[in-house]
Amino acid sequence: MVAAFEEASAIVSGGAGGLGEAAVRRLHAEGMAVVIADLAEEKGEQLAKELGERAAFVKTDVTSEASVLSAVEKANELGQLRYGVVAHGGFGVAQRMVQRDGSPADLSGFTKTIDLYLTGTYNVARLVAASVATAPELASGGRGALVLTASIAGYEGQIGQTSYAAAKAGVIGLTLAAARDLSSVGIRVNTIAPGTMKTPIMESVGEEAIAKFSANVPYPKRLGTPEEFADAATFLLTNGYVNGEVLRLDGAQRFQPK
């Protein structure tokens, strides 16, 4: 149990599955009240019921101010909102900027991806931070912390990943600027940039594909686990001197062009 978590609450966007679910489970196990902010209503309700006391699901569209504010309100009912983990996903667009037939990429796919992964991240972060900024100072002098989620694709975007790479590069660029913005109110901001992680979506591709992906990881030669993401998020939330950093969680993997 983490002492600083006992009277606090957190919002985890994308908390009903994958990396977000692992973060929800870990933070709750450490004594924190957690709001599962997700669109996956059935899975979110089931997880909240399983965790029981000090866990709640709020159906949340990360691109909607009103929707995120509902999650913020619920978190403050459970405890003092001090922490946020932005870990939502949903889709990806695999499309070259100029396709083989000479036609340009579909702009709507780009804007939809940016809206979800970058604008949605900013929307959750700003609204959670505005609430945390009103909390009483902790003994450390700070008020709380945020963990965002990027991807190593934000550094080494692959062929067909322009939309996703741009969105995740935006989250990487947001990290230090947000940490500087929020320093005056005692809120730290850090980001995790995962490599290839063994989420339920990734597991659905089959063992042969997973073995191929694993072979591209220097060490350990396997995919990362959601639990390792949760470990990293917990570390970044609790270590009071880590701020404005992007942590690569990738086994030294560097994406090749394809």
Side-chain angles (χ1 to χ4, degrees), residues 146-148 155 171-172 175-176 179 188-193 235-236 241-248:
L146 303 176
V147 172
L148 315 180
Y155 294 108
V171 176
I172 290 166
T175 306
L176 180 59
R188 293 179 300 105
V189 183
N190 293 290
T191 291
I192 301 171
F235 164 73
L236 292 173
Y241 205 60
V242 182
N243 195 16
E245 293 294 332
V246 180
L247 172 65
R248 292 185 66 125

Side-chain angles (χ1 to χ4, degrees), residues 12 65 73 76 82 116 144 155 172 176 215 241 247:
V12 180
E65 178 169 335
E73 181 180 1
N76 278 311
R82 292 191 180 275
L116 176 65
Y155 294 108
I172 290 166
L176 180 59
Y241 205 60
L247 172 65

Side-chain angles (χ1 to χ4, degrees), residues 66-81:
S67 188
V68 175
L69 285 175
S70 293
V72 169
E73 181 180 1
K74 185 61 178 180
N76 278 311
E77 290 175 8
L78 296 177
Q80 179 70 64
L81 178 59

Side-chain angles (χ1 to χ4, degrees), residues 74-244:
K74 185 61 178 180
N76 278 311
E77 290 175 8
L78 296 177
Q80 179 70 64
L81 178 59
R82 292 191 180 275
Y83 303 101
V85 177
V86 182
H88 59 266
F91 60 83
V93 176
Q95 195 174 47
R96 294 179 185 233
M97 289 185 72
V98 177
Q99 300 177 77
R100 294 186 186 278
D101 64 1
S103 62
D106 179 17
L107 185 60
S108 66
F110 182 87
T111 56
K112 186 178 179 182
T113 303
I114 295 294
D115 282 348
L116 176 65
Y117 290 108
L118 181 55
T119 307
T121 292
Y122 188 81
N123 191 42
V124 175
R126 74 185 182 98
L127 295 174
V128 171
S131 178
V132 176
T134 67
E137 285 190 354
L138 295 163
S140 63
R143 288 186 170 85
L146 303 176
V147 172
L148 315 180
T149 303
S151 167
I152 65 172
Y155 294 108
E156 303 114 24
Q158 296 181 294
I159 291 171
Q161 281 191 333
T162 50
S163 301
Y164 185 72
K168 292 301 188 176
V171 176
I172 290 166
L174 173 63
T175 306
L176 180 59
R180 288 172 167 171
D181 268 10
L182 297 175
S183 62
S184 62
V185 290
I187 300 173
R188 293 179 300 105
V189 183
N190 293 290
T191 291
I192 301 171
T196 312
M197 306 296 285
K198 198 172 184 180
T199 60
I201 291 176
M202 181 58 71
E203 287 185 297
S204 70
V205 305
E207 290 301 320
E208 184 177 341
I210 289 175
K212 181 180 178 181
F213 291 134
S214 299
N216 293 322
V217 182
Y219 184 80
K221 283 197 170 296
R222 60 171 176 80
L223 305 189
T225 69
E227 291 72 25
E228 287 168 327
F229 174 88
D231 286 345
T234 303
F235 164 73
L236 292 173
L237 291 178
T238 55
N239 189 308
Y241 205 60
V242 182
N243 195 16

